[in-house]
Amino acid sequence: ESKMITIITNLYHGKSYVNNLVSMAEDNVKLLKKRYQKESVEYLFINDSPEDPIILPESDILHIKEVANEKNLGIHGAKVKALEAAGGEYVLFLDQDDKIMPDCLLTHYENMENTDVSVSNGYRVYGERLELLYKRKLVKKMLLHKWCYIYGTDLIFTMGQCMIRKNSIPEYWKENILKTNGSDDFYLWLCMFGEQKRFRFVESVLYHHIETQNNYSNDKQK
């Protein structure tokens, strides 16, 4: 059976998030199947806290698997291990507290033609307040160009707003693992730009990033 998309979530003491993540994924699969009946989606949960076992729910429309690490590998190391087990042509990395819209997979999939990374718009969520990630046309253009990353900063907030062609992920990124959690996504984009990979923006709001004080991406020093 063809596995079109693999969703990957690193769990770190995150078993309380599993049912909600599966439910969101199932909503996406239902919409996707209306247009693409023969393809399938799998969800890989990487348990990076082996002392805290998880119980995965069953699903009729989603292939759910666990990759249990024998020891904590960190965010980057766990993602690389997940890629080795991923069967999909495309991957979507979600944090355990992320939220995606029901049309996330379908919209990204249809934006993947002739590109390596599909980047969506989204919201940053501060309690009850929502803040749009990209409002200005200039920023939407800038995030597609490598020089803005080399001389500026990471313009993609998180991997959760992106679908990535698995075979386009550079070997260098997979073989050279960061020891500090927090910037593996920026590192991936730089590696991909270095190999002339293509990025494409889609206006749709497909992703909600829940802001907490513990977000690694907010630590500029790291």
Side-chain angles (χ1 to χ4, degrees), residues 172-219:
Y172 189 94
W173 186 82
K174 292 186 282 186
E175 292 170 359
N176 297 275
I177 307 298
L178 294 177
K179 293 181 173 64
T180 301
N181 286 330
S183 54
D184 57 287
D185 50 350
F186 192 14
Y187 175 28
L188 175 59
W189 312 140
L190 290 171
C191 289
M192 295 188 80
F193 279 121
E195 294 188 359
Q196 285 78 51
K197 303 303 183 186
R198 299 153 298 181
F199 289 64
R200 179 183 289 169
F201 181 70
V202 58
E203 287 280 358
S204 304
V205 174
L206 304 178
Y207 171 81
H208 285 191
H209 184 60
I210 311 300
E211 290 291 340
T212 71
Q213 293 181 339
N214 298 321
N215 289 147
Y216 283 110
S217 55
N218 288 340
D219 190 323

Side-chain angles (χ1 to χ4, degrees), residues 57-199:
E58 295 183 358
S59 175
D60 295 330
I61 59 173
L62 185 64
H63 302 266
I64 305 174
K65 295 195 298 185
E66 177 188 1
V67 177
N69 294 340
E70 294 180 4
K71 62 178 183 178
N72 179 273
L73 297 178
I75 295 173
H76 187 185
K79 285 175 180 173
V80 171
K81 186 170 181 179
L83 285 171
E84 295 171 0
E89 182 180 356
Y90 307 105
V91 294
L92 185 79
F93 289 103
L94 290 182
D95 289 343
Q96 59 190 24
D97 58 351
D98 280 348
K99 182 180 179 183
I100 55 173
M101 301 299 100
D103 59 339
C104 176
L105 295 185
L106 175 62
T107 305
H108 273 307
Y109 179 66
E110 294 186 334
N111 193 48
M112 286 300 305
E113 187 176 357
N114 297 321
T115 197
D116 299 293
V117 183
S118 171
V119 186
S120 81
N121 214 332
Y123 287 118
R124 299 174 81 173
V125 181
Y126 303 88
E128 297 297 314
R129 183 168 62 90
L130 301 179
E131 183 179 292
L132 194 64
L133 295 182
Y134 306 110
K135 302 171 187 173
R136 297 165 54 206
K137 289 182 180 179
L138 177 61
V139 177
K140 295 171 188 176
K141 289 182 179 179
M142 288 169 62
L143 68 84
L144 305 177
H145 296 286
K146 68 177 181 180
W147 301 112
C148 298
Y149 294 74
I150 294 170
Y151 294 110
T153 187
D154 186 1
L155 295 175
I156 299 173
F157 283 81
T158 173
M159 285 188 185
Q161 64 187 100
C162 303
M163 183 174 284
I164 306 167
R165 191 180 300 273
K166 190 181 76 169
N167 289 342
S168 298
I169 294 176
E171 290 300 315
Y172 189 94
W173 186 82
K174 292 186 282 186
E175 292 170 359
N176 297 275
I177 307 298
L178 294 177
K179 293 181 173 64
T180 301
N181 286 330
S183 54
D184 57 287
D185 50 350
F186 192 14
Y187 175 28
L188 175 59
W189 312 140
L190 290 171
C191 289
M192 295 188 80
F193 279 121
E195 294 188 359
Q196 285 78 51
K197 303 303 183 186
R198 299 153 298 181
F199 289 64

Side-chain angles (χ1 to χ4, degrees), residues 16-34:
S16 63
Y17 295 99
V18 170
N19 287 339
N20 187 49
L21 288 164
V22 168
S23 178
M24 286 191 300
E26 287 180 328
D27 289 342
N28 270 267
V29 173
K30 288 173 186 174
L31 202 58
L32 191 71
K33 288 275 189 184
K34 289 181 179 179

Side-chain angles (χ1 to χ4, degrees), residues 6-9 42-46 63 65-67 82 85-87:
T6 300
I7 306 171
I8 296 170
T9 294
E42 68 177 0
Y43 206 137
L44 291 184
F45 286 98
I46 313 304
H63 302 266
K65 295 195 298 185
E66 177 188 1
V67 177

